[in-house]
Amino acid sequence: MASWTGARRPAGPGRAEEETVRVAVLGTGTMGAGMARSLLRAGHEVRVWNRTAGRAEPLADDGATVAPDVAAAVEGADVVLTVLFDTDAVVAVGTEAVAAMGPDAVWLQCATVGVEGIRRVQEVGGAQLLDAPVLGTRKPAEDGTLVVLLSGPEALREKAAPVLDAVGSRTVVAGDEVGAASALKLACNAWVALLTAGTAQSLALAGALGVDPALFLEAIEGGPVSVPYARLKGSMMLDGDLAPSFAVDGVVKDVGLMVDAARTTGVPTELLEAVRGLFAEASRQGHGADDMAAVRTVFP
C-alpha cells in the first residue's frame, strides 16, 4: 500500500504547517468528490475510495491517492470521512473502516441517516465517531462552502477542525452527543423538500391559470418571501435543467427518515407524507437520478 506523502501545508496567517491532515474520503459521488477536491485545495493529504472504482479515479488528477479498498484508504489516516447514500452503506463501510483505523483517528460521518440510523452507526464507530451531516449540494461541495452540522465530543471536534474548515464555510455545533446533528439535518432537509415542492406547485398553478410561470419568481424577488433557493430550483424547473445536485431518490429517502422520526415524537406527518408522495411519483416517472427540481414534472 502506498504511504502518506508526509507533505506539509504551507504556513499562513493564523495557520501552522502542522495543521495538514491525512484524510480518507470513503464515497466519491457528487458530494464526496467535491469534498475531496476541497480538502486537496486546502493542502491536506487525501486518499479516496469508492465501491465503483471508476468514480474515484478522476480524483487522482487532482492529487488524491486512489485506494483499492477501504482498509488501504483509512490506514494511517487522521480523519476518515464517509459520504455515502444511506445507513446500510455507512454501517457496512464503517465496519471495515473502524477495523483498519488507528485508535486516534476520527470518523466524520457525513451522510443523512436519520435518528435511528445514527444510533446504528454509533454502535460501529464508538468513541471515534463524530456526527457531521452537511447542508449543500454539488457546487458548495466543490467550493468548500458547505454548512457542517456537527455533534459529538469536543475533543474530537477539535481534532477534525482543519477538515471542517476545508469543506465548509461554517460549522453549526448541535451538541456534545452524537445524534443531535443528524436530528437537525432532518429538520433542515424537511424545509428544503417543502420549499422545492412548493416552488413547483406555484409555477404549475401560475401556468395553469394562464400566467407566465416566470412571473412568479419575479414577483417574489427581493420581498420578504424571497428565497434564493426558490430562484435556483425554480429557474431549473423553467429551463428543464435536471442535472443532479440533490437527486430525487435521495429526497425520497430523506423524507422517509423524517416521517419515521416524526412518528416517534408525535409530530404530525401529513405534510411530510404528501411531499414524499410527490417526489416518489417523480421517481416512478423515471426521474429518480435527476435533480429534485424534477418534482415539477408531477404537476400538470
Side-chain angles (χ1 to χ4, degrees):
M1 184 192 70
S3 62
W4 298 93
T5 66
R8 284 291 176 262
R9 182 169 62 168
R15 189 184 73 209
E17 290 183 352
E18 288 72 22
E19 287 180 332
T20 294
V21 176
R22 297 173 294 188
V23 188
V25 178
L26 308 180
T28 58
T30 299
M31 299 297 291
M35 294 167 78
R37 292 188 177 99
S38 293
L39 288 161
L40 288 163
R41 282 198 311 275
H44 298 301
E45 298 178 64
V46 179
R47 285 188 190 150
V48 295
W49 170 88
N50 197 75
R51 194 174 301 280
T52 302
R55 299 196 69 177
E57 289 167 358
L59 289 163
D61 294 335
D62 297 294
T65 298
V66 179
D69 52 49
V70 171
V74 306
E75 186 176 353
D78 302 307
V79 177
V80 175
L81 272 71
T82 50
V83 196
L84 302 161
F85 181 70
D86 60 12
T87 303
D88 288 344
V90 174
V91 169
V93 173
T95 299
E96 292 185 60
V98 168
M101 285 164 52
D104 296 325
V106 178
W107 175 10
L108 277 171
Q109 195 300 110
C110 300
T112 303
V113 296
V115 175
E116 183 56 36
I118 195 61
R119 293 192 186 107
R120 289 178 55 197
V121 175
Q122 189 172 21
E123 290 175 0
V124 175
Q128 292 179 277
L129 179 69
L130 281 175
D131 188 13
V134 297
L135 299 180
T137 52
R138 180 193 296 270
K139 191 173 189 307
E142 293 280 358
D143 294 345
T145 57
L146 295 164
V147 175
V148 183
L149 310 179
L150 186 66
S151 65
E154 183 177 5
L156 296 187
R157 301 199 309 259
E158 291 177 356
K159 282 186 178 181
V163 172
L164 300 172
D165 290 343
V167 302
S169 60
R170 60 193 178 97
T171 298
V172 177
V173 177
D176 295 333
E177 298 296 324
V178 167
S182 280
L184 179 58
K185 177 64 186 294
L186 293 184
C188 293
N189 272 20
W191 181 84
V192 171
L194 291 164
L195 178 60
T196 304
T199 300
Q201 179 174 266
S202 291
L203 291 174
L205 184 59
L209 294 173
V211 177
D212 181 355
L215 291 176
F216 160 68
L217 297 178
E218 183 178 337
I220 66 172
E221 186 70 23
V225 296
S226 178
V227 180
Y229 204 74
R231 166 68 67 177
L232 172 66
K233 294 301 180 184
S235 296
M236 292 177 68
M237 294 172 192
L238 292 173
D239 295 340
D241 176 9
L242 302 181
S245 291
F246 186 2
V248 166
D249 282 347
V251 181
V252 175
K253 182 264 293 183
D254 287 2
V255 181
L257 295 173
M258 297 166 203
V259 170
D260 291 343
R263 285 175 177 161
T264 67
T265 62
V267 172
T269 62
E270 287 84 355
L271 185 54
L272 288 171
E273 289 173 336
V275 170
R276 178 171 60 174
L278 292 170
F279 283 99
E281 179 59 28
S283 181
R284 283 191 291 270
Q285 292 179 4
H287 295 291
D290 290 335
D291 188 81
M292 65 189 303
V295 72
R296 172 65 184 85
T297 64
V298 174
F299 296 91

